[in-house]
Amino acid sequence: MSPFRATPPITTDWEHFEFTVDDGVATVTLNRPDKLNALTFDSYADLRDLLAELPHRGDVRVLVITGQGRGFCSGGDVEEIIGELQKMESAELLEFTRMTGAVVKALRECPIPVIAAVNGVAAGAGSVIALASDFRLLASSAKFAFLFTKVGLAGADMGSAYLLPRLVGLGRATELLMLGDKIDAARAEAIGLASQVVPDSELASTASALARRLADGPALAYSTTKVLLTRELDMDLGSSIELEAITQALLMTAKDHGEFYAAWTAGRSPQWTGR
């Protein structure tokens, strides 16, 4: 556990999704297959809180998010969330929308690589959770739908209007967020929304192989790369170069960089420690 974790304990049991850790690989499995893993108020809150805890656990180097059954995540549950939102006043509604946005913010700011293994439909909030992940591995039957306008809300939700244009360009982001139509895995890959598309039967093994590669690699190097990619989105070139110079100088003192040189000198593979 991190030496900088104070009084609050690390949560060991999460009620609103399945959570496991195996040899550095954490897995969140959304487990409401009868509802295509639709999110509830509680599952949003648990995702936000888990992502805040992960860097302090000390036993996680990569996170995989996937869904049980035939869907990744169909977004917010219509009955349990949208129906209840109709009864709320402005202050409560703002509290809710800030909570959903906090999940995406936490995904981007968590200094751990996140893999979304999209095993079916990723719609609404589910599509943004995948969007905010670092890698999006799609089963060939997977589909995306940023369907917020389909329910009479702005297509810009949970940071989607910030993240999506940076990934696929403004023109395609406008189409996807404004129209809210489904796109299949092949088109998602063609426009850069998918990192990789694989046959349905190979999704779990492909995600596992990528997670293992990340968990076994130079974790500090991966972590700082993610942090800089996030921070530099809004920086000018000069600021970015300076931040990267400082970061590289710091990592040149890290154990993994020294291990690379020792391994190279000895003609062997590096034994990364993530330090």
Side-chain angles (χ1 to χ4, degrees), residues 228 232 235-249:
L228 265 61
E232 292 183 37
M235 285 185 179
D236 59 63
L237 178 59
S239 299
S240 295
I241 289 174
E242 178 64 11
L243 179 59
E244 291 181 10
I246 292 170
T247 303
Q248 288 295 58

Side-chain angles (χ1 to χ4, degrees), residues 16-97:
H16 303 290
F17 45 71
E18 294 176 12
F19 177 72
T20 60
V21 179
D22 181 19
D23 195 19
V25 178
T27 303
V28 165
T29 305
L30 303 175
N31 59 352
R32 302 180 74 213
D34 55 319
K35 296 285 189 78
L36 291 177
N37 301 313
L39 299 169
T40 64
F41 293 120
D42 290 333
S43 55
Y44 272 120
D46 269 1
L47 280 170
R48 175 200 59 197
D49 296 344
L50 170 67
L51 289 162
E53 284 192 9
L54 279 184
H56 302 286
R57 289 180 56 98
D59 60 349
V60 174
R61 292 190 171 193
V62 59
L63 170 65
V64 178
I65 302 176
T66 194
Q68 194 178 94
R70 59 191 181 88
F72 175 73
C73 175
S74 59
D77 189 293
V78 174
E79 288 183 72
E80 294 197 30
I81 288 187
I82 297 180
E84 290 300 311
L85 294 179
Q86 303 298 307
K87 307 171 189 176
M88 295 182 186
E89 297 192 1
S90 298
E92 289 178 293
L93 292 170
L94 181 57
E95 187 176 359
F96 167 70
T97 54

Side-chain angles (χ1 to χ4, degrees), residues 42-248:
D42 290 333
S43 55
Y44 272 120
D46 269 1
L47 280 170
R48 175 200 59 197
D49 296 344
L50 170 67
L51 289 162
E53 284 192 9
L54 279 184
H56 302 286
R57 289 180 56 98
D59 60 349
V60 174
R61 292 190 171 193
V62 59
L63 170 65
V64 178
I65 302 176
T66 194
Q68 194 178 94
R70 59 191 181 88
F72 175 73
C73 175
S74 59
D77 189 293
V78 174
E79 288 183 72
E80 294 197 30
I81 288 187
I82 297 180
E84 290 300 311
L85 294 179
Q86 303 298 307
K87 307 171 189 176
M88 295 182 186
E89 297 192 1
S90 298
E92 289 178 293
L93 292 170
L94 181 57
E95 187 176 359
F96 167 70
T97 54
R98 282 177 171 162
M99 176 177 71
T100 64
V103 174
V104 172
K105 187 171 184 286
L107 278 166
R108 293 309 314 144
E109 296 195 344
C110 179
I112 293 170
V114 179
I115 301 167
V118 183
N119 54 305
V121 64
S127 64
V128 187
I129 288 172
L131 172 65
S133 300
D134 301 297
F135 300 89
R136 285 160 299 282
L137 304 182
L138 271 60
S140 56
S141 63
K143 290 180 173 60
F144 272 93
F146 297 87
L147 47 65
F148 303 108
T149 61
K150 299 279 190 179
V151 299
L153 296 174
D157 192 18
M158 297 173 64
S160 58
Y162 178 89
L163 294 170
L164 193 58
R166 287 164 168 79
L167 197 63
V168 303
L170 178 60
R172 290 191 177 99
T174 300
E175 174 195 344
L176 297 180
L177 296 182
M178 198 170 290
L179 299 180
D181 293 338
K182 286 184 180 178
I183 64 167
D184 61 21
R187 183 158 188 242
E189 185 175 36
I191 65 176
L193 183 54
S195 305
Q196 185 179 355
V197 175
V198 299
D200 289 23
S201 60
E202 297 176 17
L203 179 65
S205 61
T206 303
S208 178
L210 177 57
R212 186 76 267 141
R213 176 180 175 180
L214 291 166
D216 290 343
L220 184 59
Y222 293 151
S223 173
T224 53
T225 300
K226 174 174 180 174
V227 169
L228 265 61
L229 282 166
T230 300
R231 295 276 76 84
E232 292 183 37
L233 285 172
D234 298 314
M235 285 185 179
D236 59 63
L237 178 59
S239 299
S240 295
I241 289 174
E242 178 64 11
L243 179 59
E244 291 181 10
I246 292 170
T247 303
Q248 288 295 58

